[in-house]
Amino acid sequence: MMEQIQYFEDYEIGSSRLTSGRTITETDFIVHAGHTGDFFPHHMDAEFMKTTPFGQRIAHGTLVFSVGIGLTATIVNPAAFSYGYDRLRFIKPVFIGDTIRTRTTIAAKEDDPKRPGSGRVIERCEVINQRGEVVLVADHIYIVDRRPAQG
């Protein structure tokens, strides 16, 4: 993990980065079900899922979100903090053995009405499978300090 200070003014709309990949395993399904209490058959019952159009177990959307966002956590910016996520959508199913990576793109910048010394940066997060298909999308909102006045 690396620390890098980036102020509100430093973010450029359209700039993007792509994370490394992570293969989703059956252990991920089991551990996530244990953490969340979500033991729905869609995630845990292989025989039931053979009778559905998916044909196999699908990953919890919250698992894909957690892993996908976790992949982006490689740079710590002490001038920013997460304000939350908007527009979270589960676009396509993720299966055991799929490898996901996340593409982040700075989508917008705006003033923060509550904090004049900061702005809001909206980062579009797209989780992508090994076939290049977007499986999850969410907008990550950061509160970012404005550059301190010189002098």
Side-chain angles (χ1 to χ4, degrees):
M1 195 147 328
M2 183 176 81
E3 184 175 296
Q4 179 182 359
I5 294 177
Q6 194 171 9
Y7 294 105
F8 178 77
E9 295 82 1
D10 300 328
Y11 286 85
E12 290 184 29
I13 293 174
S15 66
S16 69
R17 65 185 174 109
L18 185 64
T19 70
S20 59
R22 164 92 151 61
T23 302
I24 302 300
T25 68
E26 182 172 20
T27 300
D28 293 322
F29 279 43
I30 294 165
V31 169
H32 192 77
H35 284 160
T36 62
D38 181 350
F39 290 93
F40 268 45
H42 306 81
H43 317 302
M44 306 306 291
D45 187 336
E47 293 305 311
F48 166 74
M49 287 307 289
K50 286 178 185 175
T51 69
T52 71
F54 297 110
Q56 59 182 310
R57 291 174 285 170
I58 57 175
H60 303 73
T62 51
L63 167 63
V64 177
F65 175 72
S66 298
V67 172
I69 296 303
L71 288 169
T72 71
T74 56
I75 299 170
V76 176
N77 181 1
F81 67 91
S82 178
Y83 190 57
Y85 296 84
D86 277 348
R87 304 173 53 88
L88 171 63
R89 297 291 181 269
F90 307 131
I91 309 296
K92 287 184 175 277
V94 172
F95 304 109
I96 293 169
D98 280 352
T99 298
I100 61 173
R101 65 187 69 246
T102 303
R103 178 176 50 233
T104 64
T105 306
I106 302 304
K109 293 167 60 172
E110 56 193 40
D111 291 335
D112 187 317
K114 300 177 187 174
R115 301 168 192 86
S118 302
R120 293 184 186 179
V121 173
I122 292 86
E123 177 184 68
R124 169 69 43 91
C125 299
E126 296 171 296
V127 180
I128 303 159
N129 67 17
Q130 69 275 14
R131 291 178 296 282
E133 300 165 329
V134 174
V135 299
L136 181 147
V137 67
D139 288 342
H140 190 181
I141 305 161
Y142 291 98
I143 304 298
V144 185
D145 295 341
R146 294 183 186 274
R147 186 174 299 287
Q150 299 296 324

